[in-house]
Every structure is written in C-alpha cells, then in structure tokens.
C-alpha cells in the first residue's frame, strides 16, 4: 500500500475550519513551522514505515501460543520507530515527558498513522486512553509510576470493559475485586474484545479494568476502575492476567482482539471506589474522538487508492477517471472526508480550549458521522475498482473490512445517537446545539457563493426544526429518530466548518469541495426530517 499524508487538506481543516490558532495563548510553543514539521514527520513515518506493512500484516495476521501474541513481521521495528519519534506523548503532560501540545495536533498525527495502518494505530490509540485516565484520575504515586513509561511508549495501555454477558451494558459486569491487606485488590473475571490486550511489542501492558468490589451496589453505581499491569510493579513478576483467545475478525487482522482472563491478578484502584464510570468515560471520550478520526483516516486511504486506480485503469478506450460517474464517486469521497476531518479536528480544538459544551455535543457526532462516512467511502472505493475491488488482490476490500469496525467501537453509533439526545440535547435543553445552528447561519451569511449560502442556511433551519422536535417529543419517539437526527447534525456541522474555512481562504480546490458538499449533502438535509419525526409507532410492527 502507498499512502501520502494529505497535508494541505489537513492544515486547511485544522487551521481554517477548526480554528486551531484560537489556541495560541494556551499553547504558545506551537507555531506554523512546528505544525508543518510535525505533520510532515508523521506523514513520513506513516508513508515510509507503516503503510508498507498494512497489506502484509493483514495477510500474515497475528498468532497466540503459550499466552504470547506474536505480531506480523515488521511491526516491532515500526513500533520502535514510532516510540523513538516521541509520537506517543505529543499532547501529554510535560511533567512526565510529554510535549504538552494541543490534542488537535496529536489527533492529526493519529490520522496519518491510522490511514497508513489502522491495525497498528489501534495500539498507540489505546495507550492514549490509559494516559488520559491516569493523568486525570490517578493518585500521585500512580502518575509517577506509570505515566512516563506510557508517554514514552515504552509501555502500552489497554481498556478492559466488555464481558461476555455485558456488552455496552457495563453495569452487568461480574468481574470482582477483593481488597488485600497491602491496599491492592485481587481481580478475577474475564474480558472480551480487548484490543491489543496482549502483544510482543512492549515489555509491559497496563490494563485498565472495570470490576466490582465485594459488597458494592448493583449496576453501574457499583463499578470501580483498576490498574492491572501485565508485570507487577514491585518485583517485576508476571501478574495473573493472560490472553486465552484471539478473535478471528472481518478486518484489522494484524491487531490482536483478545479474550483476557484475570485470575486473582493484582490491581490497584484508580480514583474512588464505585466511581469507575467517571474514569472510564475519560478513556471513552478520548477513544470516541480517535475512532471518529479512524473513520476519516481509512476513508482517506481508500480514496487515495481509488483515485490512483482511476487514473491508470482504462475502460471503453478511456481512463475511468474520465467517466462522470467515477468522478462523482471520487468527489463524494473527497468532500465527505474533508467534512469528517474538520468535524473531528473541531471537536479536539473545543477540548483543547476547555469549551466543554461544544466538546460534549461534537463528540458523538465526530464518532458516529465520521465512522459511518468511513464505511460509505471505503465502499465507494470498492465500487471504483469494479470487480478488482471485490477480490482481495485488488487491495480495496481491506479498507472496507477495516473500516466496518469503527461504527461499532467505543459505543455503537446507535449509542452515540442516544447519547447526543439523552445526555447532550436534554442535558442543556439544546443550548449547545443552538450554538451550532447559529454558527451555521453565520457561516452561510459569510459565504460568497449563493448556492452554498442557501443550502447551508436551509440545512441550519432543518436542524433547528429537528432540535425543537427532539426536545418536545416523547422519549421513545425521540429515540426512534435519534440516529437520523445525529446524521443531520453531522451534515450541518461538516458544511458549517467547510464554509467557515473557505471564507478565510482563496483556495479554489477547497471551494470546489464545499460547493459539491453543499449541492449533494446540504441540499438534502431536509430529507432527514421525516425519519427524525417517524415516531416509535411504526417500529412496533416488527413485533
């Protein structure tokens, strides 16, 4: 696989659309030259080291023997290069060796990593979640013990939430934690679908594990979070945690998805007893945004491959890129990728700027809209290839297979829609969403293109109508339309950000992308309204 980081598109989305430089006072060490160096350096790592391993890793897969997971050839060297480059700690606390840069910049780096090799990128992504959880909820001694090695990449991290009988309903978990005399806990239970829960790339893996302390309340109110290292801290001995199985998956074949057994493993409480969900959501929100970026990244890789194929494949005596329908597919891919990229970056900038209401409302949109888009774009990439897209030799199928997990990861996209409605919209009675609507109308008013202004303005009106309905509807009726509501919100946010960016530049290519997005996505925004207002009654016919 070949991949070239689309640095011009990334910088446009970061700087013009997501307004990165509004953070100058918070991050005075970041300037245009440093940003360029970071994006170019990450792009070189992605293109030269990670991308060549994407296809070979997919074919070789991983293996488990004697509790040890072996990764494909070349992954150890690639991880060493990633670690040596200091990429893991870009946005981490400088006290523990991080660089203290904006999360938006670190997210852009992760875009290149995931686009080049999503299976590999999941490893540092999970470590980022562990870093954030320990930074925000760990005791001083825990920060001193774990953060430096996680931030340097010497150790990796893993999230252990899901159990066979408790998927998204973490309140149903049965993993137990028994207090020990030395202040530790003995953790016993089984976790499934644990990404990079075991591997041979780092000498220690720091598991963050949800469990219930004996005597704790039932349900989610009785859940605590524990740090369970693969090797114990005091004497370096092997802890009682092991991988007992690997999932055979549709995609991301080079990424181990483990069943983990905790057999009286030594763990330490992070945060307060029975407050594990608070710490878990620190990891989860970070992961949700990163997974949204995965959707953008794999879509970009699929687009680059489809574009290259269209420029070399002849059909009917002409290159297929000359066919209007192929151009339609490619332009759809590019426009939606750029919108998703801007949404994810804008969410990260909101987090960096401590704009919590905007971060909260954008997180489920970034995760859900961008990953659904990633599947759609990867599917279009297969279509551009025709028959060669459907066979594995063509290489396009892998992007579709890999992308398909992202709408499921870290709370399915249906759960994101429920979150947008139940926690975010009802939580502030639509205040943050009305800010989004006002921003869209402002961007429409600033547009120099009449069609863009009309389509974006009409889409903002549709979102306002939908928001009023969601706030007034009965709960079941609102939930029936929640996914369509999120899709509409994503369409509007993407258009608003692209329009904001184009208003700041004179880039003809970005203007063309915006115009196409307005004519094909924003122009159909009102079509979401019947689905949003469907109500729960027709769904009862299912029985």
């Amino acid at each position: 696989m070949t991949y070239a980081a689309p640095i011009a598109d990334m910088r446009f989305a970061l700087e013009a659309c997501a307004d990165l430089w509004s953070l100058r006072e918070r991050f005075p060490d970041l300037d245009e030259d440093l940003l360029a160096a970071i994006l170019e350096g990450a792009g070189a790592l992605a293109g030269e080291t990670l991308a060549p391993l994407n296809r070979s890793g997919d074919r070789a897969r991983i293996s488990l023997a004697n509790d040890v997971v072996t990764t494909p050839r070349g992954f150890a060297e690639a991880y060493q290069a990633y670690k040596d480059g200091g990429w893991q700690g870009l946005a981490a606390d400088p006290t523990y060796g991080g660089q203290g840069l904006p999360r938006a910049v670190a997210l852009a780096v992760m875009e290149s990593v995931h686009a080049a090799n999503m299976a590999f990128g999941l490893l540092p992504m999970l470590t980022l979640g562990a870093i954030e959880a320990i930074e925000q909820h760990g005791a001083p001694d825990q920060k001193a013990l774990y953060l430096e090695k996680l931030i340097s990449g010497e150790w990796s991290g893993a999230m252990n939430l899901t159990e066979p009988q408790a998927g998204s309903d973490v309140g149903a978990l049965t993993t137990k934690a028994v207090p020990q005399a030395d202040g530790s806990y003995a953790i016993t239970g089984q976790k499934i679908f644990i990404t990079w829960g075991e591997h041979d790339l780092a000498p220690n893996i720091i598991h963050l594990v949800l469990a219930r302390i004996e005597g704790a309340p039932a349900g989610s109110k009785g859940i605590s979070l524990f740090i369970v290292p693969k090797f114990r801290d005091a004497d370096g001995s092997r802890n009682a945690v092991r991988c007992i199985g690997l999932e055979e998956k549709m995609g991301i074949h080079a990424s181990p998805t483990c069943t983990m057994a905790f057999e009286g493993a030594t763990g330490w409480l992070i945060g307060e007893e029975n407050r594990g969900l608070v710490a878990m959501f620190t990891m989860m929100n970070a992961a949700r945004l990163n997974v949204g970026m995965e959707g953008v990244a794999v879509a970009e890789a699929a687009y680059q491959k489809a574009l290259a194929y269209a420029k070399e494949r002849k059909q009917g005596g002409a290159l297929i890129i000359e066919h209007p329908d192929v151009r339609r597919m490619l332009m759809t891919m590019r426009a939606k990728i750029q919108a998703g990229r801007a949404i994810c970056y804008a969410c990260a900038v909101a987090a960096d700027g401590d704009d919590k209401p905007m971060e909260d409302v954008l997180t489920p949109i970034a995760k859900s809209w961008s990953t659904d888009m990633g599947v759609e774009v990867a599917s279009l990439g297969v279509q551009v290839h025709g028959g060669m897209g459907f066979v594995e030799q063509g290489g396009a199928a892998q992007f579709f297979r890999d992308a398909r997990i992202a709408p499921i990861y870290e709370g399915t996209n249906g759960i994101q829609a429920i979150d947008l409605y139940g926690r975010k919209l009802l939580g502030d009675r639509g205040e943050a969403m009305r800010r989004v609507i006002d921003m869209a109308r402002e961007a429409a008013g600033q547009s120099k293109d009449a069609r863009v202004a009309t389509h974006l303005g009409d889409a903002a009106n549709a979102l306002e109508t939908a928001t009023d309905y969601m706030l007034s509807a009965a709960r079941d009726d609102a939930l029936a339309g929640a996914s369509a509501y999120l899709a509409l919100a994503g369409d509007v946010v993407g258009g608003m950000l692209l329009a904001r960016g184009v208003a700041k530049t004179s880039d003809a290519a970005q203007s063309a992308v915006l115009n196409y997005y307005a004519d094909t996505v924003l122009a159909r925004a009102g079509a979401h309204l019947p689905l949003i207002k469907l109500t729960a009654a027709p769904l009862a016919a299912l029985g």
Side-chain angles (χ1 to χ4, degrees), residues 151-164:
I151 287 168
S152 70
E154 180 179 348
W155 292 353
S156 71
M159 278 196 304
N160 293 253
L161 313 181
T162 305
E163 297 184 5

Side-chain angles (χ1 to χ4, degrees), residues 53-275:
L53 301 176
N54 194 47
R55 185 99 172 114
S56 61
D58 180 69
R59 293 191 166 219
R61 307 196 177 202
I62 34 85
S63 62
L64 171 65
N66 300 318
D67 300 336
V68 175
V69 168
T70 301
T71 52
R73 180 179 299 175
F75 270 54
E77 293 79 7
Y79 185 71
Q80 187 66 41
Y82 180 86
K83 183 176 70 173
D84 290 348
W87 298 109
Q88 187 70 70
L90 281 180
D93 187 344
T95 304
Y96 304 99
Q99 298 178 46
L101 292 170
R103 275 175 280 188
V105 175
L107 189 68
V109 168
M110 289 306 296
E111 177 188 339
S112 288
V113 170
H114 282 298
N117 195 320
M118 179 178 168
F120 176 91
L122 288 164
L123 175 58
M125 190 194 89
L126 268 297
T127 302
L128 286 173
I131 290 169
E132 289 209 18
I134 295 172
E135 278 185 339
Q136 293 191 34
H137 303 284
D141 61 325
Q142 292 172 335
K143 294 179 182 182
L145 184 59
Y146 296 109
L147 282 181
E148 184 175 346
K149 291 186 177 180
L150 287 169
I151 287 168
S152 70
E154 180 179 348
W155 292 353
S156 71
M159 278 196 304
N160 293 253
L161 313 181
T162 305
E163 297 184 5
Q165 80 294 341
S168 299
D169 180 14
V170 294
L173 65 81
T174 59
T175 298
K176 65 179 181 179
V178 179
Q180 304 296 294
D182 63 356
S184 67
Y185 291 78
I187 310 297
T188 302
Q190 190 177 110
K191 301 289 184 177
I192 63 170
F193 302 155
I194 308 307
T195 304
W196 285 97
E198 170 59 34
H199 59 86
D200 57 358
L201 302 186
N204 204 0
I205 302 168
I206 309 305
H207 296 277
L208 297 189
V209 185
L210 285 182
R212 194 182 307 278
I213 299 172
E214 285 188 324
S220 60
K221 293 181 179 178
I223 294 173
S224 300
L225 185 67
F226 299 87
I227 299 175
V228 184
K230 177 179 175 179
F231 289 95
R232 293 185 182 88
D233 313 315
D235 56 11
S237 61
R238 186 73 159 84
N239 208 346
V241 52
R242 60 194 180 97
C243 175
I244 59 173
L246 293 174
E247 301 295 343
E248 186 170 344
K249 307 183 296 291
M250 177 179 178
I252 51 169
H253 291 151
S255 170
T257 301
C258 305
T259 298
M260 302 299 299
F262 295 85
E263 301 162 324
T266 302
W268 288 267
L269 180 70
I270 178 171
E272 301 175 25
E273 286 189 11
N274 305 328
R275 296 273 293 165

Side-chain angles (χ1 to χ4, degrees), residues 341-352:
R341 179 179 284 127
I343 292 170
C344 291
Y345 289 169
C347 184
V349 168
D352 286 318

